[in-house]
């Protein structure tokens, strides 16, 4: 099983490689990828340097070009595909049908992965992308249960990669525009969810309020740590009750499911977090490398070690973790 | 002379009792819509209307001269859902609206419509799907009229463009059921509680701003998107079909107002004023004007004058 780690910059890429990632995924410095944040990502020189560093150590580099170009932006995505191919990346991770079509036509030897933003939750959809564009791998949205993941893999014409750790989307990726409803910018149209440009922090008599695009996302009483106002993780009122109506501010951690993921035939596990620091990348990569190696040596005796969970807990959003949809008992 | 757009009625996004659904379409049969999309698009557990029941409604509407399109689920996970999808895709009589790439795959080589949950953001995507059999597509709701103009210049011959023009906006899909969550029920024992919310369950921010509507696994806008004031632009952009999304009350009135505005019996501004009184929460049109979706351009313009 391949360990795929995030890198928002060269220092992160290097620590991911040094700590045992099998592949590192990166993005360009514009809206062609879904982590289009100021100060993040790779220009041409850094890409070349990153690829050289990784390849010298036997580690692959994937480039995410996983947003949806509109007609006016099309030349930028076309150039990004060409640039990735010319730089010698090991795969492009794309979501848009037009981008996949262009890449498969103009760079037939370029390995293509379907991004999680492509929203493929069933094997009929995977057949579409395989037959039209020859994709070799797909990343599944974080909404499927373990048995559903297994069923997709049994019928899938391509390798399957799943999210193992990091921030949790409770919505089907590629089909959520909550962010643009409040701000005008979404992962699909801009490459960012709940963008920092639209965040406000206000001290009020009710405590600290966080807003996104003017919408009140959360209120923190004195003394409580305030979190980033991701739209789907706020506290809202429904029928007179105030609660996390969509999702709690917790993150995904599937460390204890690792033997099941291996047994079901998952080809690669992905760590979320290109926007996170090199320290995060280093710690998470180290723990997951150790866990995968332990699971490989002795699958039957594998247990998620307490020290691993403690280490991961320190870098998790909201410091709490969940098995997400994977542990859903139904279906 | 520019062509007159047709009016369509989108699938019912909510879970209504069978008698309500049947009575609704009896009234729609008499209304001036040209195209009716039928079927469950949100949750496969909703079982008031079975496949045969939908076909009976389809028969009735066809007899009344409507073009019927069978809609399909937006989120396909279980094998049972794929089996139902295959049955719809091979119905052999009615056009099918694909709402997932799985449905697009099953429809390859046959004519189909793509719904708003299929991401078509550029002409290369549209062109490829047209070669697979796509004959009509629904423009993504988060894009502006400027993007639509770009797409209309480049769309393949013979492909019709449909624009979502009225209704609570479809914003997200999840594996989690937010209506069951609001009732403190697990999804696998949801007790079909979304039948209690015929327009979805409104969610507010803590300052009581009504923000979203929970509809099972779907999240919608609390505000109702409305382009009735833009019919002239829709026509000049060569839009072929204007879609109205059903709400529990007064949908026939909404259809009538759009029809009157399209046929110049009613001024668009008047139509807009009428429709704004029929909405569960209030209007928005920000996406169409390249702004945040919840904005309303008329209001935003007024505020800049203050």
């Amino acid at each position: 099983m391949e360990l795929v780690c995030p890198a928002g910059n060269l220092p992160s890429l290097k620590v991911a490689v040094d700590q045992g990632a099998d592949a590192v995924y990166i993005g360009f410095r514009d809206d062609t990828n879904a982590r289009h944040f100021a100060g993040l990502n790779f220009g041409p020189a850094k890409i070349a340097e990153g690829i050289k560093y990784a390849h010298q150590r036997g580690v692959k580099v994937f480039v995410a070009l996983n947003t949806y170009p509109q007609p006016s932006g099309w030349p930028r995505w076309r150039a990004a595909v060409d640039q990735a191919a010319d730089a010698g990346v090991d795969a492009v991770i794309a979501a848009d049908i037009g981008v996949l079509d262009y890449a498969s036509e103009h760079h037939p030897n370029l390995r293509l992965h379907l991004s999680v933003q492509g929203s493929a939750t069933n094997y009929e959809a995977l057949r579409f992308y395989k037959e039209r564009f020859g994709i070799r791998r797909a990343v599944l949205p974080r909404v499927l249960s373990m048995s559903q993941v297994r069923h997709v893999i049994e019928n899938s014409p391509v390798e399957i990669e799943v999210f193992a750790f990091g921030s949790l989307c409770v919505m089907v990726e590629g089909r959520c525009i909550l962010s643009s409803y409040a701000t005008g910018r979404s992962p699909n149209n801009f490459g960012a969810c709940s963008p920092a440009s639209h965040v406000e922090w206000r001290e009020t008599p009710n405590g600290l309020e966080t807003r996104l695009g003017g919408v009140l996302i959360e209120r923190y009483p004195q003394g409580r740590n305030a979190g980033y106002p991701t739209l789907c993780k706020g506290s809202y009122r429904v029928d007179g009750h105030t609660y996390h109506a969509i999702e709690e501010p917790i993150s995904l951690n599937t460390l204890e499911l690792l033997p099941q993921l291996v047994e079901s035939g998952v080809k690669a596990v992905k760590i979320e977090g290109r926007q996170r620091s090199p320290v995060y990348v280093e710690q998470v990569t180290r723990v997951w490398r150790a866990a995968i190696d332990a699971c490989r040596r002795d699958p039957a005796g594998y247990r998620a070690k307490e020290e691993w969970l403690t280490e991961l807990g320190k870098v998790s959003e909201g410091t709490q973790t969940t098995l997400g949809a994977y542990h859903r008992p139904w279906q | 002379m520019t062509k007159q757009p047709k009016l369509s009625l989108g699938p019912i996004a909510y879970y209504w009792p069978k008698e309500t659904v049947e009575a609704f379409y009896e009234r729609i049969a008499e209304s001036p819509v040209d195209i009716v999309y039928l079927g469950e698009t949100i949750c496969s557990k909703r079982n008031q209307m079975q496949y045969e029941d939908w076909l009976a409604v389809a028969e009735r509407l066809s007899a009344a001269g409507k073009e019927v399109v069978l809609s399909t689920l937006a989120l396909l996970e279980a094998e049972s859902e794929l089996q139902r999808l295959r049955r719809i895709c091979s119905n052999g009589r009615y056009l099918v609206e694909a709402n997932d790439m799985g449905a697009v795959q099953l429809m390859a080589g046959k004519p189909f419509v793509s719904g708003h949950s299929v991401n078509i953001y550029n002409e290369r995507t549209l062109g490829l799907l047209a070669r697979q059999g796509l004959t009509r597509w629904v423009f993504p709701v988060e894009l502006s009229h400027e993007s639509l103009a770009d797409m209309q210049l480049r769309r393949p011959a013979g492909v019709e463009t449909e624009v979502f023009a009225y209704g609570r906006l479809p914003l997200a899909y999840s594996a989690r059921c937010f209506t069951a969550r609001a009732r403190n029920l697990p999804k696998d024992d949801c007790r079909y509680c979304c039948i209690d919310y015929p327009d979805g369950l409104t969610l507010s921010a803590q300052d009581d701003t009504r923000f979203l509507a929970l509809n099972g696994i779907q999240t919608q806008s609390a505000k109702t998107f409305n382009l009735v004031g833009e019919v002239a632009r829709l026509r000049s952009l060569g839009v072929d079909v204007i879609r109205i999304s059903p709400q529990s009350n007064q949908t026939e009135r909404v259809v009538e107002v759009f029809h009157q505005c399209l046929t110049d019996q009613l001024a668009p501004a008047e139509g807009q004023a009428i429709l704004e009184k029929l909405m569960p929460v209030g209007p928005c049109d920000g996406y169409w004007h390249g702004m945040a979706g919840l904005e309303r351009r008329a209001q935003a313009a007024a505020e800049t004058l203050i």
Side-chain angles (χ1 to χ4, degrees), chain A residues 165-237:
Chain A
F165 184 83
S167 236
L168 180 63
C169 275
V170 70
M171 304 302 185
V172 180
E173 295 91 333
R175 282 193 184 167
C176 177
I177 54 171
L178 288 173
S179 179
S180 66
Y181 183 63
T183 71
R185 294 174 172 184
S186 72
N188 285 7
N189 75 11
F190 184 77
C193 172
S194 306
S197 52
H198 289 67
V199 169
E200 292 168 75
W201 309 78
R202 282 188 206 162
E203 284 290 355
T204 76
N206 297 318
L208 179 67
E209 292 184 351
T210 56
R211 286 175 187 264
L212 183 76
V215 178
L216 178 59
I217 304 297
E218 195 59 272
R219 257 180 197 155
Y220 298 93
Q222 291 283 332
R224 239 182 81 199
N225 285 339
Y228 189 86
T230 304
L231 202 154
C232 61
K233 293 172 183 174
S235 293
Y236 302 107
R237 279 195 190 135

Side-chain angles (χ1 to χ4, degrees), chain A residues 272-291:
Chain A
E272 184 277 344
R274 284 193 285 125
Q275 75 285 12
R276 303 290 299 266
S277 69
V279 174
Y280 165 93
V281 174
E282 182 174 25
Q283 289 178 341
V284 177
T285 305
R286 184 170 57 230
V287 168
W288 275 88
R289 178 77 272 156

Side-chain angles (χ1 to χ4, degrees), chain A residues 69-70 96 98 101 105 121 123-124 132 151 170 172 174-175 177 180-181 186 237 244 246-248 328, chain B residues 74 76 79 86 100 119 122 124-125 132 142 147 171 173-176 181 204 206 208 287 293-294:
Chain A
Q70 293 167 52
D96 178 65
D101 187 40
E105 182 182 327
T121 54
Y123 60 84
E124 292 291 359
R132 303 312 179 286
H151 185 68
V170 70
V172 180
R175 282 193 184 167
I177 54 171
S180 66
Y181 183 63
S186 72
R237 279 195 190 135
H244 291 111
I246 300 173
E247 173 66 307
E248 283 93 7
R328 265 177 16 192
Chain B
L76 296 161
E79 188 63 33
R86 290 187 188 108
D100 179 87
N119 286 336
N122 53 69
R124 191 156 185 135
T125 300
Q132 311 289 313
E142 78 163 341
S147 291
L171 297 179
Y173 302 86
S174 174
R176 168 173 287 182
R181 182 177 173 85
S204 302
Q206 290 184 63
D208 293 324
Y287 278 141
L294 53 69

